[in-house]
Amino acid sequence: MAIRVMLVDDQVLLRTGFRMVLDAQPDMEVVAEAGDGVEALQVLRSTAVDVVLMDVRMPKLDGVETTRRICEDTDPPKVLILTTFDLDEYAFSGLKAGASGFMLKDVPPGELLTAIRAVHSGDAVVAPSTTRRLLDRFAPMLPSTTKQPQHKELERLTEREREVMVLVAQGLSNGEIAARLVLSEATVKTHVGRILTKLGLRDRVQVVVLAYETGLVRAGGQS
């Protein structure tokens, strides 16, 4: 079954370009479009969608608030925030609102397709190293933290789980974490799953955000 994609952007030309690229793929189909957040929420009430490509700056209702409302629903579609270099703070807000990742608007078509497929399959962090750089840049905007995590829920984690969480937040993939800790990739995946469950997080993106907010990882990727 094809991945059902919705395009949400106030620029018609941009939506047209994305549609041409996505509809040319045998495993993707653009099933809906919207020019602002209000329209997007209305369309989603009657259209089944797997992945939403969400712009951040739109009239009526911006992409961050739209993402938040979408992610509050039961079994919502995955959301990929579309951003530009000078709007990184919106991407960070979008991640906190529940987005599964973010891409730059001028991303090469191949990377966009890979991102959509990755998110659809459950891999929330599309580009963890990019996520890390964004959070490093905006870490000073986060609440004041110390080296010792202040989030009491982190106490639920085992020492190994906390170690894995730090590496996830530093931008490492499961394979890279497995190599670093001399574990199997399946074991790392299990640890990540337990971290999500214990902390009540939706996906790896939220793991990264929480690690920075609590001081488990600080600007520069240090722990």
Side-chain angles (χ1 to χ4, degrees):
M1 182 177 178
I3 301 172
R4 298 164 297 190
V5 181
M6 179 178 186
L7 307 175
V8 183
D9 197 296
D10 60 338
Q11 298 182 42
V12 177
L13 185 59
L14 189 64
R15 297 204 310 268
T16 300
F18 281 153
R19 175 183 281 275
M20 290 176 61
V21 172
L22 302 185
D23 281 344
Q25 305 305 306
D27 61 339
M28 294 184 191
E29 178 186 7
V30 176
V31 296
E33 294 186 27
D36 60 68
V38 172
E39 182 182 3
L41 294 174
Q42 293 173 342
V43 172
L44 283 171
R45 294 192 187 103
S46 59
T47 306
V49 175
D50 298 312
V51 178
V52 179
L53 295 186
M54 180 75 69
D55 186 21
V56 284
R57 300 193 71 181
M58 296 181 295
K60 298 183 180 179
L61 192 66
D62 66 32
V64 173
E65 181 59 28
T66 304
T67 296
R68 182 176 293 107
R69 296 187 188 184
I70 289 174
C71 293
E72 287 175 349
D73 290 341
T74 302
D75 193 25
K78 301 293 186 179
V79 178
L80 273 176
I81 294 288
L82 297 174
T83 185
T84 54
F85 279 117
D86 60 336
L87 294 177
D88 281 345
E89 65 271 24
Y90 289 98
F92 178 74
S93 298
L95 295 179
K96 292 193 66 176
S100 294
F102 64 93
M103 302 294 293
L104 297 175
K105 279 193 172 183
D106 59 355
V107 61
E111 290 185 21
L112 176 64
L113 298 174
T114 297
I116 293 172
R117 294 186 180 104
V119 166
H120 180 253
S121 68
D123 293 332
V125 180
V126 176
S129 60
T130 304
T131 302
R132 186 190 68 226
R133 289 196 300 270
L134 180 145
L135 292 176
D136 285 346
R137 178 177 173 185
F138 289 95
M141 298 181 182
L142 299 176
S144 177
T145 59
T146 63
K147 186 172 183 178
Q148 294 300 317
Q150 300 300 306
H151 201 285
K152 290 188 178 299
E153 291 188 2
L154 294 182
E155 297 175 1
R156 301 176 185 175
L157 303 181
T158 65
E159 183 177 348
R160 176 64 85 184
E161 288 165 352
R162 186 172 298 199
E163 193 174 10
V164 169
M165 183 174 178
V166 167
L167 296 177
V168 168
Q170 289 178 343
L172 275 66
S173 66
N174 283 355
E176 291 169 335
I177 294 172
R180 178 78 62 87
L181 300 180
V182 194
L183 299 171
S184 70
E185 195 165 342
T187 298
V188 172
K189 186 174 182 179
T190 297
H191 283 312
V192 172
R194 288 174 179 168
I195 292 168
L196 295 176
T197 299
K198 288 183 177 181
L199 300 181
L201 303 176
R202 180 182 296 108
D203 52 41
R204 290 172 68 106
V205 168
Q206 292 193 342
V207 171
V208 176
V209 172
L210 181 61
Y212 274 75
E213 287 188 320
T214 59
L216 186 63
V217 172
R218 295 171 294 164
Q222 298 175 340
S223 61

